[in-house]
């Protein structure tokens, strides 16, 4: 058997492999390894009599799920070396020791026979969707040598800035590969995925209360939840916490859901407000109008009129000196500039929600304050003009005094952690100079202010990198590495990424699966699965607890994989050193020391563990200056590994409001913080704030730019040709778009309201379907101004008439034999929403505009069910 296995391995390594042969050959290799006695796969094999007599050894081992950005602490049940089940980590205070469905699907990911098993090299120089890459297996030594050689060519030509590191999902080991690697090498281009995730959402909280991050919510004590496109029971953040506590929330609070789709959360709500996509801002301003007109604002937090008489009368301006504010700034300015005319009757015509319901929701929400939550989500903010909508919806928390208050919206307790050591001593002159060149995503240009934390160009514009690469503006890209990313699938305007990747001379993809992005790679490197095979840690918050949660190798990898953020940078640093550039290798060797032993790592695996111990030592090391300062006192590294999670003290609201990190130190209804940021960006480009707003597709001019205000929805497509507004939603089974090759995902897709198992459907209201002569199951073509997909029609009352919706996640033409309808012929299973979504942005934040009905579509019937 051993000789036969060696022969099969040699055969696979030496021959060229087609796309079909890649999966078939690697599947054969894994079976050969199985039959040779691989300890990880014995449960698939006929056990010998001796093996059958062995006692089963079962243990629960701590790790972390990264199926969404909650990053819940979990435990993995391992029996004789094989992961067989998952559960919530009982030591976690944030998620009540519970989990949602997503972690369970990870079992099918780690043992997926379609995973990349060894490094692969492209042998077909032509790149394109219809080109077979003709990958052949190579060794890690060969792969690192090829990558290092290409990078050294850039140093030889003083073009290190033409190297790009694309980061998708990440752990907090990220800065090793994302920051240290490009900067020490000499490139400014660490390009993250963040702008296709939720940067516009953070914009709202920052330019009102100075907080650029996701918020936490005191569901335990709230009396009202006003949800703006969030679906916390299924697909938004903090799902395990929400599921665990929702019965209590239902009992003590009212719930209102603003969403054109009857989501899982909307089903359990007291009020469903089926807003016209993209018009959330009109609804929010009308709610604010009602709160002020009816005198329902929180006077303790906001303040009051000097004479105690409410002067907020519809259509009438108010003397600013007549109102004395407490913890806020600019309420009367906001009223005079924006709110005085935003009546419910005005909003009804725009957002499609009745004036009667607007008044009822506004009144009930305000009366519940300050024990009330206005819960902003990407759905109401990742729109072309979504930045201001994010500000309005968050400003409602300010009006009712629920920001930084029990039962309301809070920031987070600090999770103590270290990042990478100082890189500057390891940057040579070339690196110092070239790492200051403009980034490839064009952030900070006139049209892309990307005002993260008030800085022009402070944020990323992920999706625009494709256009910049195609246009070679500000320069051409020659070498790129991407990890845990699949922008060819996950970014709107997918065809642009296909063209951009074709244009890059040398592209490396670090991934668990052969994805759409892998198809354009010159080198494909097999990544360890984050939950089962990788050392790292995550920081997050739920239930007013912050936490640091470990991931660790709970099983031995079946295949020749490496950890993306630690092992691979180490291996690359070694190879670069051999070729004459040792700066990165010296940095790793000299700056990374085991906190317990003081020893430097000697290989990639030691480096991975050492880095995690360094970054997390405040959680477990009694000699660290921050030990026990912010939460639990774990009893050393071994205790952290055993428990898997460190919990902070529970957040106590009330201190932040004493001094917000805004320009005024107050909660800003008139944002001097935003005014300063816009004026600095305008000055940088020798223009005016009004010109900046015009360049970024906003309609506001003058003082309106500095207050939360309504912006009309921006859509692609003429209504006469494209009659339906298209919007998308998320699945409770999506591990951030990486679940589609799991059988359980396809077999249980109807867990998402309106969806069908093993299918991809466009949900359309029966009223609209009747006009088109559509029935359930009809095959249809969905056409937008930028693309088309073929799916099936699903008649469903849970979608607002005049709109159509589809869940994100299907439509893979790669990723595996289940995800794709025909992997070998590159035929997708259903349609990828990003094919019909246009590449547009909320340019103030840099966020991709994938929500708010950014495009209209038309529907063409292909065949009857």
């Amino acid at each position: 058997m051993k000789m036969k296995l060696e022969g099969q391995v040699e055969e696979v390594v030496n021959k060229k492999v087609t796309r079909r042969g890649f999966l078939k050959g690697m599947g054969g290799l894994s079976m050969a390894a199985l039959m040779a006695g691989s300890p990880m796969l014995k449960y698939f094999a006929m056990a010998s009599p001796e093996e059958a007599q062995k006692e089963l050894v079962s243990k629960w081992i701590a790790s972390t799920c990264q199926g969404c950005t909650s990053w819940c602490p979990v435990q993995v049940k391992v029996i004789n070396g094989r992961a067989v089940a998952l559960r919530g980590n009982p030591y976690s205070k944030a998620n009540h020791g519970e989990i949602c469905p997503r972690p369970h699907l990870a079992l099918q990911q780690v043992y997926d026979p379609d995973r990349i098993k060894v490094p692969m090299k492209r042998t077909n120089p032509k790149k394109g969707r219809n080109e077979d890459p003709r990958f052949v297996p190579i060794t890690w030594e060969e792969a690192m040598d090829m990558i290092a050689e290409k990078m050294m060519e850039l140093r030889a030509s003083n073009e290190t800035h033409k190297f790009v590191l694309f980061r998708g999902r990440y752990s907090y080991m990220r800065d090793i590969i994302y920051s240290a690697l490009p900067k020490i090498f000499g490139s400014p281009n660490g390009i993250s995925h963040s702008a296709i995730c939720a940067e516009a959402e953070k914009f709202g909280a920052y330019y009102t209360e100075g907080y650029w991050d996701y918020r936490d919510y005191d569901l335990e004590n709230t009396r009202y939840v006003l949800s703006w496109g969030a679906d916390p029971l299924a697909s938004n953040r903090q799902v395990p916490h929400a599921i665990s506590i929702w019965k209590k929330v239902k009992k003590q609070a009212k719930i209102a859901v603003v969403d054109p789709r009857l989501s899982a959360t909307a089903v359990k709500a007291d009020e469903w407000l089926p807003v016209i996509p993209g018009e959330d801002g009109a609804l929010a301003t009308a709610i604010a109008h009602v709160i002020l007109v009816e005198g329902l604002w929180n006077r303790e937090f906001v303040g009051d009129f000097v004479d105690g008489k409410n002067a907020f009368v519809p259509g009438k301006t108010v003397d600013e000196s007549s109102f004395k504010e407490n913890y806020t700034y600019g309420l009367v300015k906001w009223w005079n500039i924006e709110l005085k005319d935003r009546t419910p009757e005005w909003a009804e015509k725009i957002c499609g929600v009745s004036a009667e319901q607007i008044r009822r929701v506004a009144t009930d929400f305000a009366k519940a304050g300050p024990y009330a939550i206005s819960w902003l989500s990407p759905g109401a903010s990742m729109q072309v003009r979504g930045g201001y909508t994010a500000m309005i919806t968050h400003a409602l928390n300010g009006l009712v005094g629920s920001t930084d208050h029990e039962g309301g919206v809070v920031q987070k307790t600090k999770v103590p952690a270290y990042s990478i050591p100082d890189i500057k001593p390891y940057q040579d002159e070339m690196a110092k100079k070239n790492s200051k060149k403009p980034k490839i995503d064009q952030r900070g240009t006139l049209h892309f202010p990307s005002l993260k934390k008030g800085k022009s160009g402070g944020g990323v514009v992920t999706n625009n990198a494709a256009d910049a690469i195609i246009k070679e503006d500000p320069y051409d890209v020659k070498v790129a590495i991407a990890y845990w990313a699949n922008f060819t699938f996950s970014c709107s305007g997918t065809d642009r990424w296909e063209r951009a990747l074709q244009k890059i001379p040398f592209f490396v993809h670090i991934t668990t699966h052969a994805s759409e992005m892998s198809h354009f790679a010159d080198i494909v490197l097999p990544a360890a699965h984050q939950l089962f095979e990788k050392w790292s840690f995550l920081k997050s918050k739920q239930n007013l607890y912050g936490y640091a949660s470990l991931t660790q190798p709970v099983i031995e990898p079946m295949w020749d994989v490496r950890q993306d953020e630690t092992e691979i940078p180490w291996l690359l640093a070694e190879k670069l050193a051999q070729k004459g550039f040792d700066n990165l290798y010296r940095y790793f060797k000299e700056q990374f020391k085991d906190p317990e032993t003081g020893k430097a790592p000697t290989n990639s695996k030691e480096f991975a563990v050492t880095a995690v111990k360094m970054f997390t030592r405040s959680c477990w090391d009694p000699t660290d200056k921050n030990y026990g300062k912010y939460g639990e006192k774990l009893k050393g590294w071994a205790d952290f590994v055993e428990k898997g999670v460190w919990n902070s003290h529970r957040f106590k609201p009330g201190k932040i409001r004493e001094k917000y990190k805004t320009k005024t130190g107050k909660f800003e209804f008139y944002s001097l913080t935003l005014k300063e940021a816009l004026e600095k960006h305008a000055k940088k480009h020798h223009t005016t704030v009004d010109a900046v707003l015009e360049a970024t597709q906003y309609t506001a001019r003058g003082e309106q730019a500095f207050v939360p205000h309504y912006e009309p929805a921006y859509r692609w497509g003429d209504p006469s040709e494209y009659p339906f507004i298209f919007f998308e939603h998320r699945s409770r089974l999506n591990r951030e778009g990486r679940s589609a090759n799991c059988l359980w995902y396809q077999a249980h897709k109807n867990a998402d309201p309106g969806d069908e198992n093993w299918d991809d459907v466009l949900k359309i209201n029966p009223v609209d379907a009747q006009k088109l002569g559509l029935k359930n199951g009809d095959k249809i073509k969905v056409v937008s101004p930028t693309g088309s997909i073929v799916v099936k029609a699903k008649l469903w009352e849970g979608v607002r008439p005049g709109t159509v919706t589809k869940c994100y996640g299907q439509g893979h033409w790669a990723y595996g034999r289940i995800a794709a309808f025909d992997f070998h012929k590159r035929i997708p299973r259903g349609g990828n929403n990003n094919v019909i979504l246009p590449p547009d942005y909320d340019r103030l934040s840099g966020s991709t505009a994938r929500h708010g009905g950014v495009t209209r579509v038309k529907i063409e019937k292909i065949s009857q069910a």
Side-chain angles (χ1 to χ4, degrees), residues 12 80 84 104 116 275 298 390 410 420 450 467 486 519 538 580 608 656 662 683 704 860:
V12 172
N80 286 21
V84 298
H104 301 293
I116 304 290
V275 68
N298 185 275
V410 301
I420 57 173
S450 193
D467 291 313
N486 189 17
H519 189 79
L538 288 308
I656 302 245
T662 58
K683 183 177 180 181
Q704 192 180 30
E860 301 173 358

Side-chain angles (χ1 to χ4, degrees), residues 55-61 76-82 84:
E55 182 181 354
L56 293 179
V57 179
S58 174
K59 185 177 182 181
W60 287 97
I61 303 175
V76 182
K77 188 174 186 178
V78 179
I79 300 179
N80 286 21
R82 181 171 177 82
V84 298

Side-chain angles (χ1 to χ4, degrees), residues 426-670:
Y426 296 87
Q427 288 182 301
D428 60 16
E429 289 305 312
M430 184 188 300
K432 290 177 182 177
K433 180 180 178 181
N434 289 351
S435 62
K436 293 180 181 179
K437 288 183 179 292
K439 293 179 182 287
I440 192 62
D441 61 346
Q442 300 178 341
R443 69 183 74 179
T445 58
L446 175 62
H447 293 81
F448 288 106
S450 193
L451 299 174
K452 180 179 180 180
K453 297 184 179 180
K455 180 183 177 182
S456 173
V460 65
V461 195
T462 312
N463 201 14
N464 190 58
D467 291 313
I469 291 169
I470 293 169
K471 298 174 183 176
E472 299 185 5
D473 181 11
Y475 42 75
D476 58 321
V477 171
K478 291 189 173 180
V479 179
I481 298 175
Y483 83 95
W484 211 344
N486 189 17
F487 297 155
T488 324
F489 179 84
S490 61
C491 286
S492 53
T494 56
D495 62 301
R496 299 155 41 261
W497 278 98
E498 293 184 17
R499 286 183 279 130
L501 294 177
Q502 289 178 53
K503 196 174 179 68
I504 299 175
F506 189 77
F507 172 57
V508 180
H509 197 207
I510 306 169
T511 179
T512 57
H513 287 72
S515 70
E516 285 79 3
M517 209 166 186
S518 310
H519 189 79
F520 297 87
D522 296 277
I523 298 289
V524 180
L525 299 177
H529 192 286
Q530 64 80 208
L531 199 156
F532 304 96
E533 302 169 331
K534 176 180 176 179
W535 279 109
S536 73
F537 85 103
L538 288 308
K539 296 188 298 180
S540 194
K541 70 269 186 185
Q542 293 182 71
N543 192 24
L544 276 65
Y545 286 99
Y547 52 93
S549 187
L550 279 178
T551 71
Q552 58 180 309
V554 302
I555 59 174
E556 288 293 327
M558 290 183 294
W559 297 299
D560 195 14
V561 302
R562 298 291 187 274
Q563 299 173 57
D564 45 20
E565 295 173 316
T566 50
E567 282 196 276
I568 292 176
W570 174 279
L571 295 173
L572 183 55
E574 283 184 323
K575 191 58 68 174
L576 288 169
Q578 292 173 15
K579 295 181 179 294
F581 180 73
D582 68 351
N583 300 45
L584 186 62
Y585 184 65
R586 285 190 292 107
Y587 173 71
F588 291 158
K589 290 283 289 185
E590 295 169 4
Q591 295 298 319
F592 286 76
K593 302 290 175 64
D594 188 310
E596 291 185 302
T597 67
K599 294 181 179 179
T602 62
N603 57 54
S604 62
K605 292 187 183 302
E606 289 182 4
F607 178 63
V609 179
T610 296
V612 177
K613 293 174 76 172
M614 281 178 56
F615 294 176
T616 62
R617 66 180 301 179
S618 293
C619 299
W620 58 266
D621 185 354
T623 67
D624 186 80
K625 63 182 180 181
N626 291 318
Y627 178 73
K629 186 176 180 181
Y630 301 101
E632 293 176 334
K633 294 182 178 180
L634 295 174
K635 299 175 182 178
W637 172 248
D639 190 34
F640 191 20
V641 172
E642 177 66 23
K643 290 188 170 78
V645 62
W646 171 93
N647 299 287
S648 75
H649 301 304
R650 199 163 197 264
F651 185 87
K652 294 182 179 179
K655 292 183 179 180
I656 302 245
R657 60 173 53 190
E658 296 296 333
K659 188 170 179 59
Y660 288 105
K661 293 182 179 179
T662 58
K663 186 75 174 172
T664 61
K666 306 280 189 177
F667 188 99
E668 296 184 343
F669 295 122
Y670 180 92

Side-chain angles (χ1 to χ4, degrees), residues 215-226:
R215 282 74 52 216
D216 202 353
Y217 307 95
D218 188 6
L219 292 174
E220 183 177 347
N221 296 298
T222 196
R223 297 293 180 268
Y224 203 102
V225 177
L226 175 56

Side-chain angles (χ1 to χ4, degrees), residues 719-733:
S720 63
E721 183 178 0
Y722 302 96
F724 295 100
I725 298 171
F726 174 83
F727 68 98
E728 67 170 16
H729 66 91
R730 294 294 182 265
S731 169
R732 67 174 70 204
L733 303 179

